């Protein structure tokens, strides 16, 4: 994720809060529910990168895919309702 929604003042930006909650909730599910070992998360001003390990347990892959697809679905739904604040780019366009 990149940038800020800027839909309100700092600390009151509900669109940013919603997007951040979706992202952090997905990372928490990967770590705490699916027990994905070696997941790396980097935060910087207005930026969040998540790196999945290459050695993931093959049995967990469908669940990991489901968690990530659910995140994308929910983020797209949020973007549909607030297109002026959220833009979704295909990974190949980054």
């Amino acid at each position: 994720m990149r940038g800020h929604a800027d839909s309100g003042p700092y600390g009151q930006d509900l669109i940013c809060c919603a997007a951040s909650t979706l992202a952090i909730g997905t990372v928490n599910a990967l770590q705490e529910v699916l027990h994905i070992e070696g997941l790396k998360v980097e935060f910087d001003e207005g930026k969040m990168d998540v790196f999945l390990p290459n050695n993931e347990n093959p049995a967990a892959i469908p669940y990991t895919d489901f968690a990530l697809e659910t995140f994308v679905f929910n983020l797209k739904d949020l973007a549909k309702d607030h297109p002026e604040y959220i833009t979704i780019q295909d990974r190949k366009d980054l």
Side-chain angles (χ1 to χ4, degrees):
M1 292 179 59
R2 303 280 187 273
H4 295 280
D6 292 326
S7 71
Y10 179 80
Q12 298 176 14
D13 188 337
L14 296 180
I15 305 304
C16 180
C17 179
S20 296
T21 298
L22 290 171
I24 293 169
T26 300
V27 168
N28 288 342
L30 294 172
Q31 290 176 321
E32 303 299 324
V33 177
L34 297 176
H35 307 289
I36 303 298
E37 299 289 332
L39 184 81
K40 183 177 174 187
V41 182
E42 295 177 357
F43 293 97
D44 197 7
E45 178 62 30
K47 178 176 135 180
M48 178 181 176
D49 290 313
V50 178
F51 302 93
L52 292 168
N54 288 330
N55 61 346
E56 183 179 351
N57 175 354
I61 291 173
Y63 301 104
T64 301
D65 289 348
F66 177 77
L68 294 172
E69 288 175 23
T70 299
F71 165 70
V72 171
F73 173 82
N74 286 318
L75 196 61
K76 284 181 178 179
D77 200 41
L78 184 63
K80 182 178 69 175
D81 291 340
H82 303 282
E84 66 275 23
Y85 299 115
I86 295 179
T87 302
I88 298 182
Q89 294 177 306
D90 191 292
R91 182 177 176 200
K92 68 180 187 269
D93 296 332
L94 297 177

